[in-house]
Amino acid sequence: MKKFVFLVNAFAVMARLEDGLSVEGSLFKDKESGVLSFRPYNRLSRVPGYIPPSVVLYETPNGSLRQTALRNKIVVSVKRSLGKLRGATEILAQARELTDYLRTMNK
């Protein structure tokens, strides 16, 4: 007995199968046509260059502390109109506040 299976996104499925990789998805019988269909799960982590989104843990007026899968990132920026000295002190103050929050969070 032969059964035909309709593949949704057939090129991506066949490319993974030709590479010897598995394909996760759902196999179901279409209610209208009665045809077996396979729909692969859309896994974003398999897309080349995919970076999981970062989560903002704490925000200041000019910066934020973000957590990714591997790192904690401190992002601080100031306007150039503040000047070099005042801008540098503002960056240091914001970075100190964010690192203090990071220390209290890990305790």
Side-chain angles (χ1 to χ4, degrees):
M1 174 196 284
K2 288 187 180 181
K3 291 284 183 182
F4 293 100
V5 178
F6 176 71
L7 295 176
V8 179
N9 199 357
F11 291 116
V13 170
M14 292 307 293
R16 283 192 59 85
L17 290 175
E18 287 173 356
D19 291 340
L21 302 172
S22 64
V23 179
E24 295 178 359
S26 60
L27 183 66
F28 59 95
K29 187 175 181 180
D30 193 8
K31 293 179 182 177
E32 296 173 6
S33 63
V35 175
L36 282 175
S37 298
F38 179 77
R39 176 171 288 127
Y41 297 140
N42 186 13
R43 303 279 193 212
L44 289 178
S45 60
R46 292 183 179 157
V47 177
Y50 171 73
I51 299 171
S54 60
V55 179
V56 177
L57 299 176
Y58 187 75
E59 277 194 48
T60 61
N62 297 323
S64 63
L65 174 65
R66 299 178 187 184
Q67 186 176 38
T68 63
L70 301 175
R71 299 173 185 262
N72 291 324
K73 293 182 180 182
I74 294 178
V75 180
V76 179
S77 66
V78 293
K79 293 182 180 180
R80 293 175 79 186
S81 61
L82 290 176
K84 291 180 182 177
L85 184 58
R86 189 164 175 212
T89 56
E90 183 68 25
I91 286 175
L92 288 173
Q94 296 290 326
R96 190 175 298 117
E97 182 180 349
L98 292 169
T99 53
D100 289 343
Y101 178 80
L102 186 61
R103 283 189 194 127
T104 60
M105 184 183 74
N106 288 334
K107 287 184 180 181

